[in-house]
Amino acid sequence: MLENYRLNEKRKLSLSNIDPEDTAGIADKDEIADAFDELKDKLEEHQERLYASKRNGVLILFQGMDCSGKDGVIKKVLAGLNPQGFRAESFKKPTPDEASHDFLWRTHKVAPPKGTISAFNRSYYEEVLITRVHGVIDNKEASKRLKHIVHFEKMLSDSGITVIKIFLHISPDFQLKKIHERMENPEKLWKFDPSDLEERRYWPAYQKAYEQAFKATSTKRCPWYIVPANNRWFRDYLVLRIVESAMNSLHLTYPDVDMSQFPSIAAGETETQPASQ
Amino acid sequence: MLENYRLNEKRKLSLSNIDPEDTAGIADKDEIADAFDELKDKLEEHQERLYASKRNGVLILFQGMDCSGKDGVIKKVLAGLNPQGFRAESFKKPTPDEASHDFLWRTHKVAPPKGTISAFNRSYYEEVLITRVHGVIDNKEASKRLKHIVHFEKMLSDSGITVIKIFLHISPDFQLKKIHERMENPEKLWKFDPSDLEERRYWPAYQKAYEQAFKATSTKRCPWYIVPANNRWFRDYLVLRIVESAMNSLHLTYPDVDMSQFPSIAAGETETQPASQ
């Protein structure tokens, strides 16, 4: 099933051919409720082994239009992880200090160390998306940056970091419905940002910039996943399957500890009572 | 109930008078199972409001002997929080760079920004505990540092950060049982550190250093809580109550948004369809 949503070759993709309402033939949330819980348990086991063995790290990067559910999926799918080996990072408008560095600097700083998982809410891909749509960079610069991204991700991968790239795919109508929900619900109004409405006008340009980024950066080792996200429950289920499957393929194990390196313990001196000072 | 476990005056305390087996008269885990789930839901609601209003932050600091359950309580009580507004920080042996700064530097750097919660697994208190027990600093230096800590916490508190300080109180026998469990279980063996056995010999010195730290740094605004922790379920329940109660007392609300500042939206222009480029 996952391969239907994975782009691991540099083939041309048109987002308009992918249905944001798709649920892979699954009728509703109830149908996958048990599977969802089982996958979450498995994911927590993988995390424990990842943390114990400290030979791999995992970077899960989320991109998508406003209201595509980047915050939501991090909460629904990843909130149960042990917080000591998991971190969510989000990237807003760069500070002057961040903007004065190369475009990979601020995200690289918070890359996951081995033994841990990080979720990026937005990422260095913004530097070939919003910048391109608004003409901050030209096509030549975008093309250079896309190559730098491929090299950067390959370097991470060579260093034991699994890079999982997820695009949450929604329709413009769905976005508008969500913006209205924010405006009408006093508990969601704080999330409302009038610039979201303005940014909607650039929808086709964003879709085009995304398509070019997917084509340039989908590789066998660091593929993009296009996740239909109009149905929240399917979005969550598919993301959970993608992450669980990627971690499962690492074949993580608890490290062996050679107790013979501690001769006094092997000799039974573990009952030592506290000495008075 | 909470006040029984709170130290908010600078009174002398003897840890030996506090029973690590105490469960406040609660028979077992089942008795508080429903209350635990309700408190977790409330805590998540508080977090949502904290994140939305961005006027307060929360620092929950955990101290305790090896095997007292600092990792465990963070996972059991706090793993359900939205990872985008919550972070766990743990402090190991300082790096040379960290050690070349003042003793508050590395922890201050990762203090929670407003709108978020941080859990510290160990903290700047180590700098008046392990350093003191092993003679790295003398009493005069310890006394100075304790005053600096009081001022630092008051400054955080004045800046809108609620500081919750929790000591997980276990018995030496309980610790030894846990060390043995780690040695005998292949899935826990990676947590075993032979220096834990060595460090046990300094138990009474640690208890004394802790007592002095509590006396010097328990204030009305930033009290210490002594949590009996031989029973994991009671430890989790009490910590959850402490944190929920502290956040409840902040009376957090969603921010008001004045929609009249967006005249075009008020005039009904929210239906804007994406423009072609």
Side-chain angles (χ1 to χ4, degrees):
Chain A
M1 166 188 175
L2 293 184
E3 61 271 25
N4 295 338
Y5 301 96
R6 181 166 50 216
L7 303 175
N8 54 14
E9 322 155 43
K10 298 188 180 183
R11 65 179 166 90
K12 189 153 171 55
L13 163 95
S14 176
L15 281 172
S16 59
N17 292 336
I18 300 177
D19 181 7
E21 294 283 351
D22 174 33
T23 60
I26 303 166
D28 57 26
K29 197 177 173 169
D30 294 340
E31 196 178 322
I32 47 93
D34 290 344
F36 192 85
D37 291 343
E38 277 168 37
L39 282 166
K40 268 197 131 174
D41 289 346
K42 279 191 192 172
L43 185 62
E44 287 181 36
E45 279 169 40
H46 293 318
Q47 187 200 15
E48 188 78 6
R49 289 183 168 84
L50 183 88
Y51 190 78
S53 55
K54 294 208 171 16
R55 285 189 302 200
N56 300 85
V58 178
L59 170 58
I60 315 163
L61 170 165
F62 293 98
Q63 288 286 160
M65 301 296 284
D66 294 321
C67 300
S68 62
K70 299 180 291 293
D71 295 80
V73 78
I74 291 173
K75 180 157 202 279
K76 293 286 173 53
V77 175
L78 303 170
L81 291 173
N82 189 335
Q84 286 166 110
F86 171 66
R87 227 162 229 222
E89 303 282 354
S90 59
F91 303 97
K92 313 279 182 194
K93 193 171 182 296
T95 64
D97 181 40
E98 288 169 349
S100 69
H101 288 84
D102 68 78
F103 80 104
L104 293 170
W105 183 79
R106 67 167 177 160
T107 38
H108 198 173
K109 268 208 305 186
V110 292
K114 282 179 192 176
T116 74
I117 303 171
S118 287
F120 280 8
N121 184 338
R122 303 185 186 273
S123 67
Y124 42 83
Y125 280 95
E126 290 297 323
E127 304 298 334
V128 290
L129 295 165
I130 189 167
T131 49
R132 197 165 193 188
V133 166
H134 290 287
V136 178
I137 62 169
D138 60 16
N139 285 347
K140 199 175 154 193
E141 174 66 17
S143 164
K144 276 191 199 171
R145 288 190 182 185
L146 287 165
K147 285 194 191 103
H148 291 311
I149 288 176
V150 171
H151 296 147
F152 177 62
E153 290 176 350
K154 187 163 189 302
M155 186 276 295
L156 290 179
S157 170
D158 278 343
S159 311
I161 308 299
T162 299
V163 182
I164 304 170
K165 303 183 288 192
I166 293 173
F167 175 72
L168 302 178
H169 180 48
I170 57 169
S171 60
D173 289 350
F174 179 84
Q175 186 193 52
L176 190 61
K177 196 178 74 181
K178 288 290 157 188
I179 293 178
H180 285 175
E181 277 177 22
R182 288 182 179 177
M183 291 169 68
E184 283 150 24
N185 182 342
E187 298 203 350
K188 288 187 174 175
L189 189 54
W190 63 277
K191 292 184 186 175
F192 171 70
D193 180 347
S195 72
D196 291 352
L197 284 169
E198 182 52 35
E199 214 57 16
R200 265 174 68 72
R201 299 179 59 83
Y202 299 93
W203 190 284
Y206 270 109
Q207 302 288 297
K208 199 177 147 206
Y210 267 116
E211 286 165 356
Q212 291 177 345
F214 298 150
K215 182 164 184 287
T217 64
S218 282
T219 62
K220 194 164 163 43
R221 272 207 277 174
C222 305
W224 271 99
Y225 291 88
I226 312 298
V227 171
N230 273 18
N231 294 291
R232 300 312 212 192
W233 63 267
F234 182 69
R235 170 202 76 187
D236 296 341
Y237 176 62
L238 186 53
V239 167
L240 180 55
R241 284 206 46 178
I242 292 166
V243 176
E244 193 281 324
S245 163
M247 293 192 69
N248 189 54
S249 70
L250 293 173
H251 305 294
L252 299 159
T253 53
Y254 286 101
D256 282 329
V257 178
D258 177 10
M259 289 302 281
S260 69
Q261 65 183 304
F262 312 128
S264 68
I265 292 164
E269 285 177 31
T270 64
E271 300 293 338
T272 326
Q273 286 303 307
S276 58
Q277 300 298 300
Chain B
M1 166 188 173
L2 293 184
E3 60 271 25
N4 296 338
Y5 301 96
R6 180 167 51 215
L7 304 175
N8 53 14
E9 322 154 43
K10 298 188 179 183
R11 66 180 166 87
K12 191 157 170 53
L13 161 96
S14 176
L15 281 172
S16 59
N17 292 336
I18 300 177
D19 181 6
E21 295 281 352
D22 174 33
T23 60
I26 303 165
D28 57 26
K29 195 178 174 171
D30 294 341
E31 196 178 322
I32 46 95
D34 291 343
F36 192 86
D37 291 342
E38 276 169 38
L39 282 166
K40 269 198 131 174
D41 289 345
K42 278 190 192 173
L43 185 61
E44 287 180 36
E45 279 169 41
H46 293 320
Q47 187 200 15
E48 187 79 5
R49 290 183 168 83
L50 184 88
Y51 189 79
S53 56
K54 294 207 170 18
R55 285 189 303 201
N56 299 86
V58 178
L59 169 59
I60 315 161
L61 170 165
F62 293 96
Q63 289 285 159
M65 302 295 284
D66 294 321
C67 300
S68 61
K70 298 180 290 294
D71 294 82
V73 79
I74 291 174
K75 180 157 202 280
K76 292 287 173 54
V77 176
L78 303 171
L81 291 174
N82 189 336
Q84 286 168 110
F86 171 65
R87 229 163 227 221
E89 303 281 355
S90 59
F91 303 97
K92 312 280 181 195
K93 193 171 182 299
T95 63
D97 180 41
E98 288 170 349
S100 70
H101 288 85
D102 68 79
F103 80 104
L104 293 170
W105 184 79
R106 68 167 176 159
T107 39
H108 198 173
K109 267 208 304 185
V110 291
K114 283 181 192 174
T116 74
I117 304 172
S118 288
F120 279 9
N121 183 338
R122 304 186 186 272
S123 68
Y124 42 84
Y125 280 95
E126 290 297 324
E127 305 298 334
V128 291
L129 294 164
I130 189 166
T131 49
R132 197 166 194 188
V133 165
H134 290 286
V136 178
I137 62 168
D138 61 15
N139 286 346
K140 199 176 155 193
E141 174 65 18
S143 163
K144 275 190 199 171
R145 288 190 181 185
L146 287 165
K147 286 194 190 102
H148 292 311
I149 287 176
V150 171
H151 296 147
F152 175 62
E153 291 176 349
K154 188 164 188 300
M155 186 275 295
L156 290 179
S157 169
D158 278 343
S159 312
I161 308 299
T162 298
V163 183
I164 305 170
K165 303 182 288 193
I166 293 173
F167 176 73
L168 302 178
H169 180 47
I170 56 168
S171 60
D173 289 350
F174 178 84
Q175 186 193 52
L176 190 61
K177 196 178 75 182
K178 287 289 155 189
I179 293 177
H180 284 175
E181 277 177 21
R182 288 181 180 179
M183 291 168 66
E184 284 150 22
N185 182 341
E187 298 203 349
K188 289 186 175 177
L189 189 55
W190 62 276
K191 293 184 185 175
F192 171 70
D193 179 348
S195 72
D196 290 353
L197 284 168
E198 182 52 36
E199 215 56 16
R200 265 173 69 73
R201 298 179 59 82
Y202 298 93
W203 189 284
Y206 270 109
Q207 302 287 295
K208 200 177 146 205
Y210 266 115
E211 286 165 357
Q212 291 177 346
F214 298 149
K215 183 164 184 286
T217 64
S218 283
T219 63
K220 195 165 163 42
R221 272 207 276 174
C222 306
W224 271 100
Y225 292 88
I226 313 297
V227 170
N230 273 20
N231 295 290
R232 300 312 211 192
W233 62 267
F234 181 70
R235 169 202 76 186
D236 296 340
Y237 176 63
L238 187 53
V239 167
L240 179 55
R241 284 206 46 176
I242 291 166
V243 176
E244 192 282 324
S245 163
M247 291 191 69
N248 190 54
S249 71
L250 293 173
H251 305 294
L252 299 160
T253 53
Y254 287 101
D256 281 329
V257 178
D258 178 9
M259 289 301 282
S260 69
Q261 66 182 303
F262 312 127
S264 68
I265 293 163
E269 286 177 28
T270 65
E271 300 292 339
T272 325
Q273 286 302 310
S276 60
Q277 299 299 299

